[in-house]
Amino acid sequence: MPSALDPPPPQPSVGQYPVAGLVRRARRIAGLGQRQMARFARVAPSTVGKVEAGRMTPSIAVLERLLGAAGLFLAVVDQDGRVIQPMRDWDETFDGAGRRYPSHLSTILDPEPGEWWADIYGLARPPETFHRSPVLREMRRRRSQWEVRVAKHRHLPPPPDMRDQY
């Protein structure tokens, strides 16, 4: 039997925010009762009650419908609070086997000489490719950030240009 001094069981959360509190806040913002929210979200009234009591963890689809009933939306933000936009799908960008390029690598459309990893082997350059080397990717990223945010990085020397390195 749990003691009154035991910590409460962990509640389902979205990041640091408990789902139950988010749904209750959404109802308050919209001025909806549980039954009204359930009707707008097309779920059973008991679902709203169970979610708000922390006895049920809703799926993303149900949570989205519950928040949508109050005119709210789920969003992905970074640690600075900026909304993260999804990556676009390019229907015509596939490798020779019909697969998508790796999502974690930056795709290069129409690479220039030296941008493709196999240029050093003299292979025919593909219409698109990606940077494999994490060191080169990080160097390009830092150089790009420095060039775009000159005012912020004015007091710092420019990062080395990778063309000078390789």
Side-chain angles (χ1 to χ4, degrees):
M1 173 147 195
S3 163
L5 300 176
D6 289 340
Q11 297 289 320
S13 63
V14 176
Q16 63 184 358
Y17 304 105
V19 171
L22 290 172
V23 174
R24 283 195 313 268
R25 174 68 64 169
R27 271 198 322 112
R28 179 173 291 171
I29 288 170
L32 298 173
Q34 285 185 348
R35 278 188 244 139
Q36 290 172 309
M37 177 177 259
R39 188 177 24 187
F40 290 143
R42 296 181 317 277
V43 298
S46 63
T47 300
V48 177
K50 288 177 185 176
V51 169
E52 288 187 357
R55 293 191 317 266
M56 177 184 173
T57 304
S59 66
I60 294 292
V62 169
L63 179 60
E64 191 173 42
R65 290 197 332 242
L66 290 171
L67 296 177
L72 303 174
F73 303 93
L74 289 177
V76 177
V77 296
D78 64 9
Q79 62 265 18
D80 297 326
R82 293 182 298 240
V83 175
I84 303 301
Q85 298 294 327
M87 291 179 66
R88 290 185 296 133
D89 284 336
W90 294 327
D91 293 332
E92 68 279 356
T93 308
F94 294 96
D95 68 5
R99 301 170 298 207
R100 293 191 187 278
Y101 284 100
S103 295
H104 67 287
L105 301 175
S106 299
T107 305
I108 308 166
L109 300 176
D110 197 22
E112 295 179 12
E115 284 190 309
W116 185 44
W117 62 271
D119 277 343
I120 60 174
Y121 302 111
L123 300 175
R125 191 173 304 110
E128 60 275 326
T129 186
F130 54 87
H131 297 293
R132 277 192 171 173
S133 168
V135 173
L136 287 176
R137 279 198 320 268
E138 185 58 30
M139 287 174 65
R140 283 184 181 90
R141 185 176 292 123
R142 287 185 185 185
R143 181 74 185 192
S144 174
Q145 287 174 345
W146 185 85
E147 289 172 354
V148 170
R149 297 179 178 94
V150 175
K152 179 179 177 183
H153 301 291
R154 183 168 286 142
H155 63 285
L156 299 174
D161 192 348
M162 48 278 160
R163 284 168 266 173
D164 300 337
Q165 302 289 321
Y166 294 92

